Amino acid sequence: MRSTTVWDGGGTRLRMCEVGTRDGLQMESQFVPTEDKIALVNALSHTGLAKIEVTSFTSPTAIPALRDAEIVMCEIDRVPGVVYTALVPNMRGAERAIDARTDELNLVMSVSETHNIANLRMTREQSFASLSQVIALAQQARVPVNVSLSCVFGCPMEGDVAEEQVFAFVQRFADLGVQGITLCDTTGMAFPSQVARITSHAIKGWPTLEFTLHFHNTRGMGLSNVLAAIDAGARQFDASLGGLGGCPYAPGASGNVCSEEIVHALQCMGYDTGVDLDALIAAAGRLPALIGHDVPSQIVKAGKRLDTHPAPADFDAIRERALARASQRAA
Amino acid sequence: MRSTTVWDGGGTRLRMCEVGTRDGLQMESQFVPTEDKIALVNALSHTGLAKIEVTSFTSPTAIPALRDAEIVMCEIDRVPGVVYTALVPNMRGAERAIDARTDELNLVMSVSETHNIANLRMTREQSFASLSQVIALAQQARVPVNVSLSCVFGCPMEGDVAEEQVFAFVQRFADLGVQGITLCDTTGMAFPSQVARITSHAIKGWPTLEFTLHFHNTRGMGLSNVLAAIDAGARQFDASLGGLGGCPYAPGASGNVCSEEIVHALQCMGYDTGVDLDALIAAAGRLPALIGHDVPSQIVKAGKRLDTHPAPADFDAIRERALARASQRAA
């Protein structure tokens, strides 16, 4: 049941999807050993996350960081209730993912023609045709499909993307019978008014589709966009452990919204994410050792809001002196 | 006039107060030359900001970074409509600030006893008595007074501060006839539900006081807290150019909310901040040369959301190859 305002969660249940193991690790220059990836996914599996994007069944030469996709997907523990998804770019990837018993195939294309060509080296129509074949294969294998639409809230090369184009692709994939659509703010161009409008339209227009919202914090609007989407009816969100994953167009700026920051804020506000925040923070705290550098996470640096600090060592002496000054003046 | 939801600004006028020149620069180890400080304030004066906290009339030995308070305050250009305020800790500071023709005295104390003793070396009652004298002096000199209450949304040592304590101090300062109160989230502990509740109570309870909200982004909730406060009726906000200013309890985490990030987001959402965003970003871009290090600002790194990037140099070739593959398959 929804509370009266978005500021008070009132126990509203939200589903959190972890993308750090795919969207985050694929950008790391240091190869994370396969056994460490498996241990990380296993740790995340027990935190109460609804879904984990474990890896990507892309060509090992294209993304060497995730060249161990099969082993990781086959060897992780499967915790009941957690959906283990993976990115799949094409038929070959779909066959590999299905062979590895992936729970859901996450397909991707961009609603921006320029971004799709630059990134996927195909026109949007070519991508759609290729993904249509993958969807048919998944349906034969009875594996659910989610489609992640990139650049829904803007393209870094084209600028704003017409909302009719976004919804036209939502309709075409709905017609193919996919289970879910992720509306992706690929480079952090989304802002709350737009998020509220697009999310509301999507949820009202396609009530049987499961919508996920995927935001980047590139311009500091990540959490506010999550809240605007919640207010518009969204209940499922992507986020990345430690805030892993950057944006090639904004070196040094934040990438994906950070899982523990989002969960921390939503829990403060009374939303039920189902996530064990301490376990999530502990997992994020182990990332720097795996990837060889600090993570953007503010919660890893600052702790939870009620993680208190000791008073200064000389606190009692300071107070005594203050009170002594006062009584001197009074005398 | 308010729009129907907080997500759409509908032209609602907000007043932005720049605190980087005080709250930011006072933490910098590198002394910013006086003429550079004056040039920075002068640049900010022409951006449409409502108020600028120019400096602090603290003891020069306590805060050497701002030891040039008088010269800066006396030599800046005074743009009509902009309020030039300064932090004033005590009677001596008030006399100096009034002599330097400061438009408004910004006094500070904490609503947390532990924080006040640790930070100001006085009990809260001692601070209140001292500030009462300053307020009387300012009233004699006909200079408006704002009181910044620290730790309204939590104390890093005590944890949550009882809201009755916060409102008791608001009432006591209102009784002394101050013009404004700033509700400060000193170490980034505020979260939106709490912000909405406290802000709403303050604005309804003391309708003639001018309330300012001062947030830190320490745990990634800065902009969301601003939006929750707007929804509760707040119209004036502190922010810091470049995101200058840290938090001693969270090394490496963000400090004050970043002026250009907040203005960028609010403008995207249709709020009227009155601020020339490009001029503000330009001023933020000159900070690293002044302070000797990068600033946290995501907008400085990533640009505005519609600052587009060129397509890859070989874009046309990529598209040609894609289309050629398609016609080969068709043939």
Side-chain angles (χ1 to χ4, degrees):
Chain A
M1 217 195 91
R2 284 292 295 128
S3 60
T4 47
T5 81
V6 70
W7 314 119
D8 288 297
T12 299
R13 183 72 167 94
L14 303 175
R15 292 167 54 85
M16 299 302 302
C17 308
E18 177 57 47
V19 301
T21 38
R22 196 281 299 173
D23 206 356
L25 292 187
Q26 75 173 19
M27 292 199 55
E28 294 298 324
S29 53
Q30 179 171 319
F31 181 78
V32 175
T34 305
E35 60 269 35
D36 290 337
K37 285 181 183 136
I38 293 168
L40 176 59
V41 173
N42 286 346
L44 290 169
S45 283
H46 292 282
T47 61
L49 292 161
K51 191 187 277 194
I52 301 174
E53 192 174 45
V54 175
T55 186
S56 173
F57 288 93
T58 321
S59 145
T61 51
I63 304 184
L66 301 181
R67 61 179 183 252
D68 50 7
E70 273 88 354
I71 312 178
V72 174
M73 189 56 92
C74 288
E75 298 204 352
I76 52 171
D77 300 334
R78 303 291 182 106
V79 172
V82 180
V83 175
Y84 297 92
T85 186
L87 192 81
V88 160
N90 51 30
M91 286 295 270
R92 176 78 195 101
E95 290 159 358
R96 290 167 58 203
I98 293 167
D99 284 349
R101 297 187 301 111
T102 306
D103 290 337
E104 174 197 270
L105 307 191
N106 185 26
L107 317 187
V108 63
M109 69 168 283
S110 183
V111 295
S112 153
E113 180 76 354
T114 308
H115 187 259
N116 204 71
I117 291 172
N119 235 41
L120 301 179
R121 319 222 142 211
M122 287 186 274
T123 65
R124 287 177 299 180
E125 287 308 322
Q126 290 175 320
S127 278
F128 184 79
S130 161
L131 297 185
S132 302
Q133 293 183 305
V134 174
I135 292 166
L137 176 71
Q139 286 168 340
Q140 274 186 336
R142 299 177 182 279
V143 178
V145 171
N146 183 78
V147 176
S148 286
L149 294 177
S150 305
C151 296
V152 162
F153 303 92
C155 164
M157 293 164 284
E158 290 188 7
D160 275 324
V161 173
E163 293 175 18
E164 310 84 75
Q165 288 185 33
V166 174
F167 296 123
F169 279 107
V170 171
Q171 182 62 56
R172 291 171 76 183
F173 282 112
D175 289 343
L176 293 181
V178 304
Q179 279 68 36
I181 298 270
T182 302
L183 303 172
C184 297
D185 178 28
T186 308
T187 62
M189 296 173 69
F191 60 100
S193 339
Q194 176 201 35
V195 168
R197 186 176 63 243
I198 290 179
T199 305
S200 171
H201 187 89
I203 289 174
K204 285 178 186 151
W206 293 270
T208 59
L209 276 180
E210 178 181 77
F211 283 99
T212 305
L213 276 292
H214 174 109
F215 295 115
H216 281 222
N217 196 35
T218 318
R219 291 171 177 88
M221 297 187 280
L223 175 62
S224 298
N225 286 332
V226 168
L227 296 176
I230 291 173
D231 205 27
R235 294 294 178 267
Q236 185 152 299
F237 295 91
D238 281 355
S240 175
L241 191 70
L244 276 190
C247 170
Y249 297 100
S254 298
N256 292 284
V257 292
C258 168
S259 304
E260 62 272 24
E261 281 183 29
I262 297 294
V263 168
H264 173 267
L266 293 174
Q267 289 196 354
C268 285
M269 297 175 73
Y271 287 96
D272 173 17
T273 64
V275 174
D276 177 343
L277 178 58
D278 290 318
L280 199 64
I281 293 172
R286 290 192 293 269
L287 282 176
L290 290 185
I291 58 179
H293 61 82
D294 276 351
V295 290
S297 171
Q298 304 262 70
I299 295 294
V300 166
K301 295 187 188 82
K304 296 181 288 184
R305 66 176 292 273
L306 289 179
D307 288 350
T308 52
H309 299 260
D314 57 343
F315 181 80
D316 290 333
I318 299 170
R319 181 165 50 189
E320 291 309 315
R321 281 198 298 273
L323 294 170
R325 278 198 307 274
S327 54
Q328 271 176 353
R329 277 192 211 114
Chain B
M1 216 198 94
R2 283 295 294 130
S3 59
T4 47
T5 81
V6 69
W7 313 119
D8 288 297
T12 298
R13 182 72 168 93
L14 303 174
R15 292 167 55 84
M16 299 301 302
C17 308
E18 176 57 47
V19 301
T21 38
R22 197 282 300 174
D23 207 356
L25 292 187
Q26 74 172 21
M27 291 199 54
E28 294 298 323
S29 52
Q30 180 172 321
F31 181 78
V32 175
T34 306
E35 59 268 35
D36 291 336
K37 285 179 182 139
I38 294 168
L40 176 59
V41 173
N42 286 347
L44 290 168
S45 283
H46 293 282
T47 60
L49 292 161
K51 192 187 277 194
I52 301 175
E53 192 173 46
V54 175
T55 185
S56 173
F57 288 94
T58 321
S59 147
T61 50
I63 304 183
L66 301 181
R67 61 179 183 255
D68 50 9
E70 273 88 354
I71 312 179
V72 174
M73 188 56 90
C74 287
E75 299 204 352
I76 52 171
D77 300 334
R78 301 293 181 105
V79 172
V82 180
V83 175
Y84 298 91
T85 187
L87 193 80
V88 159
N90 51 30
M91 285 295 270
R92 177 76 195 102
E95 289 161 356
R96 292 168 59 204
I98 292 167
D99 285 349
R101 299 187 302 110
T102 306
D103 290 337
E104 174 198 270
L105 307 190
N106 185 26
L107 316 187
V108 62
M109 69 167 284
S110 182
V111 295
S112 153
E113 181 77 354
T114 308
H115 187 259
N116 204 71
I117 290 172
N119 236 39
L120 301 179
R121 319 224 142 212
M122 287 186 274
T123 64
R124 287 177 299 180
E125 286 308 322
Q126 290 176 318
S127 279
F128 183 79
S130 162
L131 296 185
S132 302
Q133 293 183 303
V134 175
I135 291 165
L137 176 71
Q139 285 168 341
Q140 275 186 334
R142 300 179 182 280
V143 179
V145 170
N146 183 78
V147 176
S148 285
L149 295 177
S150 305
C151 296
V152 162
F153 303 92
C155 165
M157 293 165 284
E158 290 187 6
D160 275 324
V161 172
E163 292 175 18
E164 310 85 74
Q165 288 185 34
V166 174
F167 296 123
F169 278 106
V170 171
Q171 182 61 57
R172 291 171 75 183
F173 283 111
D175 289 343
L176 293 181
V178 304
Q179 279 69 36
I181 298 271
T182 303
L183 303 172
C184 298
D185 179 28
T186 308
T187 61
M189 296 173 70
F191 61 99
S193 339
Q194 177 201 37
V195 168
R197 187 176 62 243
I198 290 179
T199 305
S200 171
H201 188 88
I203 289 174
K204 286 179 185 149
W206 292 270
T208 60
L209 278 180
E210 180 183 76
F211 283 100
T212 305
L213 276 291
H214 175 108
F215 295 116
H216 281 223
N217 196 36
T218 318
R219 292 172 176 88
M221 297 188 278
L223 175 62
S224 298
N225 286 331
V226 168
L227 296 176
I230 291 173
D231 205 28
R235 294 293 178 266
Q236 185 153 300
F237 294 92
D238 282 354
S240 176
L241 191 71
L244 276 190
C247 171
Y249 297 100
S254 297
N256 292 285
V257 292
C258 168
S259 305
E260 62 272 24
E261 280 182 30
I262 297 294
V263 168
H264 173 267
L266 293 174
Q267 289 196 356
C268 286
M269 296 175 73
Y271 287 95
D272 173 17
T273 65
V275 174
D276 177 343
L277 178 58
D278 290 317
L280 199 65
I281 294 172
R286 291 191 293 270
L287 282 177
L290 290 185
I291 58 178
H293 61 83
D294 276 352
V295 291
S297 172
Q298 304 262 74
I299 294 294
V300 166
K301 296 186 188 84
K304 296 182 288 184
R305 66 176 292 275
L306 289 179
D307 288 350
T308 52
H309 298 260
D314 57 344
F315 181 80
D316 290 334
I318 299 170
R319 181 166 49 190
E320 290 310 314
R321 281 198 299 272
L323 294 170
R325 278 199 306 275
S327 54
Q328 273 177 354
R329 276 191 211 117

